[in-house]
Amino acid sequence: MEELLKALSQIGQLKDLPRAGWVREQVPHPESVADHSFRAMVLALVLAPQLGVDVGRVLRLLLVHDLAESDPTVGDITPFDGVAPEEKHRRESTAMERLCAALPGGEEVLNLWREYNDGTSAEASIAKQLDALEMALQATEYERRHGKELVGFLESAWRKIQHPLLVQILTALRS
Amino acid sequence: MEELLKALSQIGQLKDLPRAGWVREQVPHPESVADHSFRAMVLALVLAPQLGVDVGRVLRLLLVHDLAESDPTVGDITPFDGVAPEEKHRRESTAMERLCAALPGGEEVLNLWREYNDGTSAEASIAKQLDALEMALQATEYERRHGKELVGFLESAWRKIQHPLLVQILTALRS
């Protein structure tokens, strides 16, 4: 029980972990990793039924996709941190194995996290696109709110989003 | 499309809405409503399989349970705000009808929100108990981090939590 409570508190750290991309851009009071995951799931709930995928599975994938960042030895590693993608994956993978060992149903959580990272299932592909769309939405809101120029985040979203409906939303967002 | 983007941005306000209970207690940098919903869903993912309910449904109920608070005319109303429960429900219900009218699949979202508030289904009952357990977990963490006395939040959780496994976790949390 003590191990479970410790793991849940570790996951709670995602409430206090600001998304590193916004910190780098000096956005005032940026959202937390948990905030981002929450709205990505809202996108899944309202959009996934039109995307031809299992909504429940997309919700679960998005719920766990950033859990590794709750590990104090990992955090929110971005492409600007000079950590090679393989090393980032290795650190996150080790962190997830440790965290999931302390969770009931941890094996399912670990499998979901791996499915998201592999990105090969239809649901993982949509989850990754919704993750990018949520970032694009947030970048646009921060641009308007703070008069910032955050076009790099939009370009990153354009590279990831392929589903016609999500492309349409991304286009409308910037028009 | 414009209506959808506006609705998604409104929901994004939950990232910046601090939970009113912690504000009242002057907790420094309190979590957002979105933060709270996120970890309540983590609790559902790892605990609900042992609670004999449909995990996917509990996840959806928790994802939408606080969406009404994103409406600027509503916010996070607590028992200390002098708003009668019926009036709180009326305001939130009107806000949800307005928000869901702008969302694809909005009818499902509205039905989920009503199911949560009615609290009569097995899944809604468990969702409400997980909502309370998440608050108890957060109260305990804030007590330890800030040397605060937040026992009122724990008493409130004790009144709501009935499932033996969740009672066991709540007991362990305070031992």
Side-chain angles (χ1 to χ4, degrees):
Chain A
M1 187 61 82
E2 202 185 322
E3 233 192 350
L4 167 64
L5 291 174
K6 223 176 126 186
L8 294 173
S9 281
Q10 179 187 312
I11 292 169
Q13 296 298 318
L14 293 180
K15 300 175 176 187
D16 287 307
L17 185 66
R19 292 257 284 165
W22 313 133
V23 173
R24 194 181 66 243
E25 296 291 338
Q26 300 180 293
V27 170
H29 310 293
E31 64 172 343
S32 68
V33 172
D35 282 330
H36 157 70
S37 295
F38 169 79
R39 192 164 60 171
M41 281 185 276
V42 172
L43 294 179
L45 183 69
V46 303
L47 300 176
Q50 299 171 69
L51 304 177
V53 288
D54 175 343
V55 183
R57 188 143 203 96
V58 178
L59 284 175
R60 284 171 168 84
L61 291 167
L62 286 169
L63 181 57
V64 308
H65 85 289
D66 276 340
L67 287 189
E69 300 182 10
S70 69
D71 189 296
T73 69
V74 178
D76 187 4
I77 301 167
T78 78
F80 294 81
D81 292 329
V83 179
E86 302 73 32
E87 172 62 13
K88 174 179 188 284
H89 184 72
R90 198 196 57 76
R91 285 188 206 172
E92 291 183 344
S93 193
T94 306
M96 280 304 285
E97 282 163 20
R98 195 162 40 221
L99 178 66
C100 291
L103 293 175
E107 201 176 310
E108 192 209 341
V109 176
L110 189 57
N111 285 338
L112 286 166
W113 183 83
R114 286 177 175 153
E115 179 181 340
Y116 180 86
N117 277 277
D118 290 345
T120 44
S121 70
E123 281 74 19
S125 167
I126 289 295
K128 279 174 179 275
Q129 294 179 60
L130 292 172
D131 173 63
L133 182 61
E134 205 292 316
M135 178 189 66
L137 197 55
Q138 189 56 69
T140 306
E141 289 161 1
Y142 283 150
E143 281 190 340
R144 287 173 190 162
R145 196 182 308 167
H146 302 299
K148 288 257 174 202
E149 168 72 68
L150 299 168
V151 73
F153 295 87
L154 273 297
E155 287 166 358
S156 161
W158 274 114
R159 284 193 297 274
K160 290 172 185 164
I161 292 174
Q162 290 150 0
H163 191 289
L165 174 63
L166 303 184
V167 168
Q168 200 187 331
I169 294 174
L170 190 55
T171 308
L173 185 60
R174 304 301 284 186
S175 64
Chain B
M1 187 61 80
E2 201 184 324
E3 233 191 351
L4 167 63
L5 290 174
K6 223 176 127 186
L8 294 174
S9 282
Q10 179 188 311
I11 292 169
Q13 295 298 318
L14 293 180
K15 300 175 177 188
D16 287 306
L17 185 66
R19 293 256 284 166
W22 313 133
V23 173
R24 193 180 68 243
E25 296 290 339
Q26 300 180 293
V27 169
H29 310 294
E31 64 172 341
S32 68
V33 172
D35 283 329
H36 157 70
S37 296
F38 168 79
R39 192 165 60 170
M41 280 186 276
V42 172
L43 293 179
L45 184 68
V46 303
L47 300 175
Q50 298 171 69
L51 304 176
V53 289
D54 175 344
V55 182
R57 189 144 202 96
V58 177
L59 285 175
R60 284 171 167 85
L61 291 167
L62 285 169
L63 181 57
V64 309
H65 85 289
D66 275 341
L67 288 189
E69 300 183 10
S70 68
D71 189 296
T73 67
V74 178
D76 187 6
I77 302 167
T78 78
F80 294 80
D81 292 329
V83 178
E86 303 72 33
E87 172 60 14
K88 174 179 189 283
H89 184 72
R90 198 196 56 75
R91 285 188 206 171
E92 291 184 345
S93 194
T94 306
M96 280 304 286
E97 284 162 20
R98 194 162 42 221
L99 178 66
C100 291
L103 293 174
E107 201 175 310
E108 193 210 340
V109 177
L110 188 58
N111 285 339
L112 285 166
W113 184 83
R114 285 177 176 153
E115 180 182 341
Y116 180 87
N117 277 277
D118 289 346
T120 45
S121 71
E123 282 73 19
S125 168
I126 289 295
K128 279 174 179 276
Q129 293 178 61
L130 292 172
D131 173 63
L133 182 61
E134 205 292 316
M135 177 188 68
L137 198 54
Q138 188 57 70
T140 305
E141 289 160 1
Y142 283 150
E143 281 190 338
R144 287 174 191 162
R145 197 181 308 167
H146 302 298
K148 288 257 174 203
E149 168 72 67
L150 299 168
V151 73
F153 295 87
L154 273 297
E155 287 166 358
S156 161
W158 274 114
R159 285 193 297 274
K160 291 172 185 163
I161 293 174
Q162 289 150 1
H163 191 287
L165 175 63
L166 303 183
V167 168
Q168 200 187 332
I169 295 173
L170 190 56
T171 307
L173 185 61
R174 303 303 281 186
S175 63

